[in-house]
Amino acid sequence: MSISLVELEDVVREAGSIALTYFKDLKNVEVNKKSPRDFVTAADIAVEAFLKETLTTKYAEYGFWGEESGQSANQTNRWIVDPIDGTHSFSRGQYFWGVSVALEIDQELMMGAVYAPALNDYYCAEKGKGAFKNGLPITVSSESNLADAMVGTGFACLRSYLEDNNLERFGRIAQNTTGQRRFGSAAVDLCLVADGQLDAFWEQELNLYDVAAGALIAKEAGASVTDFKGNEGLFPKEVLVTNGKVLGQILPLM
């Protein structure tokens, strides 16, 4: 690859700085709806514009897929970008949102970074080289009992029309776990599994740009990445990421 984790960090941190500038002046940030309950802010547009210009100029061999601008040429080798994952949280002044950037080559995730600027936490990974938070190695938790586990999920209101909309699934899992959290950013949630703060995370009907970087970081930290039936791999429509030790216990509840 023509880019290192150090070089990627410089770019993603600068993108995060742009986002923080807007975050610190939210009263003047324009918030629009792409569709009912689906928000986009001026910050999303500005951050993605910076990432697209910087990454495609410096690394012209890779294409680009961003949540706001769509897909450019060369989708075989590409950057997969969510400029602000957790836009609704961002727009309300909450801290759990992040800039998510992944590099995919020949349908394989090779590098990923998730930066949560309001928390000052930077997560990254390169395939086969482990996962890191603020420069230090991280690993998944050692919790082996689902009854004692802390789990996270999301309730995307955009999917509320579905018969299977996660509410019943959450009810089953909540009754069998000690702690449940809903932070509002799938990208950050996956990093919390990687860092051992959560023992499992699941969500459904997502897009690849929501989870590409976070899933690679989690996997490099030792996590299992499957669908709701336990098939290995990243399936954005059914994302289940665990510390591996509670996988067998949570699958029957999915």
Side-chain angles (χ1 to χ4, degrees), residues 68-251:
E68 309 306 336
S69 61
Q71 298 183 354
S72 67
N74 185 11
Q75 290 296 300
T76 301
N77 304 318
R78 61 186 179 178
W79 297 105
I80 303 173
V81 169
D82 191 338
I84 298 180
D85 187 63
T87 297
H88 198 191
S89 297
F90 173 94
S91 70
R92 298 298 297 269
Q94 298 170 9
Y95 286 8
F96 283 88
W97 52 272
V99 179
S100 177
V101 179
L103 178 60
E104 182 186 63
I105 297 178
D106 292 328
Q107 298 184 321
E108 191 167 12
L109 293 170
M110 302 300 295
M111 191 175 288
V114 175
Y115 181 32
L119 299 170
N120 197 27
D121 284 334
Y122 184 89
Y123 299 89
C124 65
E126 185 174 347
K127 184 181 179 183
K129 297 186 178 181
F132 302 86
K133 174 187 176 183
N134 298 329
L136 298 176
I138 55 175
T139 61
V140 295
S141 73
S142 59
E143 181 57 64
S144 59
N145 186 0
L146 184 64
D148 296 325
M150 173 80 75
V151 300
T153 190
F155 297 92
C157 50
L158 295 175
R159 268 73 82 184
S160 61
Y161 63 90
L162 295 174
E163 182 177 348
D164 177 16
N165 61 16
N166 199 35
L167 290 174
E168 291 185 5
R169 182 176 296 108
F170 173 77
R172 293 192 297 270
I173 295 172
Q175 292 180 67
N176 286 276
T177 52
T178 293
Q180 306 82 34
R181 298 292 184 268
R182 198 280 199 225
F183 293 114
S185 166
V188 175
D189 286 331
L190 292 171
C191 293
L192 297 183
V193 176
D195 195 31
Q197 297 183 47
L198 292 175
D199 304 306
F201 169 79
W202 79 95
E203 195 167 346
Q204 64 194 77
E205 297 298 321
L206 296 173
N207 293 292
L208 184 58
Y209 46 72
D210 298 313
V211 293
L216 177 63
I217 292 165
K219 187 172 183 179
E220 286 296 317
S224 64
V225 179
T226 72
D227 66 8
F228 292 173
K229 299 177 180 63
N231 298 306
E232 291 187 13
L234 179 57
F235 306 95
K237 299 303 179 184
E238 291 187 358
V239 175
L240 172 61
V241 177
T242 81
N243 66 359
K245 304 167 187 67
V246 300
L247 175 62
Q249 299 166 62
I250 201 171
L251 278 174

Side-chain angles (χ1 to χ4, degrees), residues 6-45:
V6 173
E7 293 169 324
L8 181 60
E9 181 170 353
D10 289 341
V11 175
V12 176
R13 282 190 179 275
E14 188 168 350
S17 295
I18 295 170
L20 268 181
T21 299
Y22 286 88
F23 188 68
K24 292 175 180 178
D25 189 29
L26 282 175
K27 65 181 182 297
N28 292 315
V29 174
E30 183 180 356
V31 180
N32 295 303
K33 291 184 177 181
K34 294 186 283 188
S35 62
R37 301 181 181 180
D38 190 8
F39 298 90
V40 61
T41 71
D44 294 83
I45 303 301

